[in-house]
Amino acid sequence: NETTKMKQPMRKLDVSLTHTTADLTLSVKEKQRSKISCGEDFKAKVYFSSKPSKEFDLHYHALSKGMIFKSGSIKVSTEQTNALESLVGQAKELSASESNNEKESIEGKVVSDQEIILPIDYKVSPSLKLVVFINDGNQTLTDSHTYDVEACQNHKVKAEWSEEKVYPGSPVTLSVAAEPDSLCAISATDKSVDLLGNKNKVTSETIGKLQAEIGDRKTSRSENYWEYQRKCPQTYDAIKVYESTGIQILTDLSFINSCETITDAKNEPEYEPEIMHSAVAFSAGGGQI
């Protein structure tokens, strides 16, 4: 604003503060915003804050379209050196209080990282969700992120003209490249057809959108995570990373198995409707005979 010399905010960041007594925390820090390229190995970096030389197992699941694409466990041993600078980057320190108690409380801990290598291909297009978790004593630490993957298919097809610009009546060649025994459908139309847009045009992006819709139908929508959140908050905190993935969870963890989400209608207190004795406004119309 030229009058007030104030800049209009372009982004909004909501911050919530949580407190934990755990000696170990984890975070998928590099939550990439751009689309991941197909045909390459993607390295997801997970950061840990703990005491030096602490050993634990890092478990991970890579999910896409209602299926587990890859899962595994990695033995992690935190380092003596601190990787805090690579974690914060160009970030600025903000203090929620004037005291330095919080800063003093993190002394003796180091930040380390571990890379998870994920091969990216058509099986995880157009999105991939990475879930990481650690069992630390009687606590389960989790984090997750959904990555956008560029549209790619199992069969690679390439089509191009021999000339970018020609005059009417000039000879031109259309070259199509695909894998052996592929069935290719070809149509050539005037470029002016697409000037106003063409929703039926077949492109990598439209096929990727169709793949996303098919994957969404495979994802179960009957999950009762809201029941866990309402009745068993501790259970919900542990399994919420699997919400909307279509994955059914089987576990022997006691704090999850002990969660009762089924309502016993027989022993449930009877519901007594509240009767309102206040006046009710209404209107009535009359007619002539």
Side-chain angles (χ1 to χ4, degrees):
N1 190 313
E2 295 297 334
T3 304
T4 61
K5 304 301 181 181
M6 296 180 63
K7 294 183 179 181
Q8 178 68 27
M10 301 300 294
R11 295 180 181 178
K12 179 182 178 183
L13 176 62
D14 294 328
V15 179
S16 60
L17 301 178
T18 58
H19 299 275
T20 177
T21 58
D23 293 332
L24 175 66
T25 59
L26 84 161
S27 173
V28 183
K29 188 263 178 180
E30 294 182 338
K31 299 181 177 180
Q32 186 165 329
R33 304 305 177 186
S34 59
K35 292 186 177 181
I36 303 175
S37 301
C38 270
E40 300 178 358
D41 287 342
F42 175 69
K43 297 180 180 179
K45 186 173 289 187
V46 184
Y47 283 90
F48 315 95
S49 175
S50 65
K51 295 181 179 179
S53 303
K54 184 178 181 64
E55 296 183 353
F56 52 86
D57 293 328
L58 171 65
H59 308 278
Y60 68 90
H61 295 304
L63 313 171
S64 181
K65 291 173 285 194
M67 299 180 62
I68 299 179
F69 170 67
K70 184 180 180 181
S71 62
S73 300
I74 302 176
K75 290 282 186 180
V76 178
S77 178
T78 57
E79 302 176 357
Q80 296 286 344
T81 58
N82 202 333
L84 182 61
E85 292 185 2
S86 63
L87 172 64
V88 298
Q90 300 296 327
K92 296 182 179 180
E93 182 178 358
L94 298 177
S95 177
S97 61
E98 297 181 357
S99 63
N100 294 325
N101 294 336
E102 295 183 6
K103 192 171 182 179
E104 294 175 356
S105 64
I106 63 174
E107 292 182 355
K109 293 185 179 181
V110 295
V111 175
S112 55
D113 60 78
Q114 175 66 46
E115 289 185 344
I116 300 177
I117 301 177
L118 301 173
I120 305 300
D121 57 15
Y122 71 96
K123 296 179 182 178
V124 297
S125 179
S127 65
L128 167 69
K129 183 170 186 177
L130 176 64
V131 176
V132 296
F133 63 96
I134 297 173
N135 294 325
D136 183 32
N138 60 349
Q139 298 186 79
T140 300
L141 308 177
T142 62
D143 195 13
S144 66
H145 182 65
T146 300
Y147 300 93
D148 291 329
V149 182
E150 68 176 9
C152 57
Q153 290 75 44
N154 186 14
H155 303 289
K156 297 182 179 180
V157 180
K158 182 180 180 181
E160 60 181 357
W161 294 100
S162 58
E163 302 290 341
E164 293 184 2
K165 183 178 181 180
V166 295
Y167 294 100
S170 301
V172 66
T173 303
L174 175 63
S175 301
V176 180
E179 296 181 1
D181 300 325
S182 298
L183 178 62
C184 298
I186 303 174
S187 65
T189 58
D190 191 272
K191 191 175 182 179
S192 60
V193 175
D194 295 331
L195 292 179
L196 298 179
N198 183 1
K199 296 187 297 182
N200 298 322
K201 189 175 183 179
V202 179
T203 63
S204 298
E205 288 72 21
T206 56
I207 295 178
K209 184 178 180 181
L210 179 61
Q211 289 176 320
E213 293 175 354
I214 295 175
D216 188 62
R217 289 198 293 266
K218 292 181 179 180
T219 302
S220 173
R221 296 299 181 186
S222 61
E223 303 158 333
N224 60 339
Y225 282 91
W226 65 273
E227 285 282 4
Y228 290 116
Q229 186 177 12
R230 184 171 65 92
K231 296 183 178 180
C232 312
Q234 184 183 9
T235 301
Y236 176 74
D237 289 339
I239 66 175
K240 63 182 179 181
V241 291
Y242 294 99
E243 193 170 5
S244 301
T245 61
I247 301 299
Q248 302 297 326
I249 302 174
L250 297 177
T251 178
D252 59 353
L253 294 176
S254 59
F255 72 93
I256 294 180
N257 293 337
S258 61
C259 178
E260 296 290 343
T261 59
I262 300 177
T263 301
D264 188 352
K266 185 176 181 179
N267 297 322
E268 188 75 6
E270 294 185 2
Y271 171 72
E272 297 182 0
E274 183 179 359
I275 301 176
M276 305 295 294
H277 296 283
S278 58
V280 179
F282 71 97
S283 61
Q288 296 181 352
I289 300 178

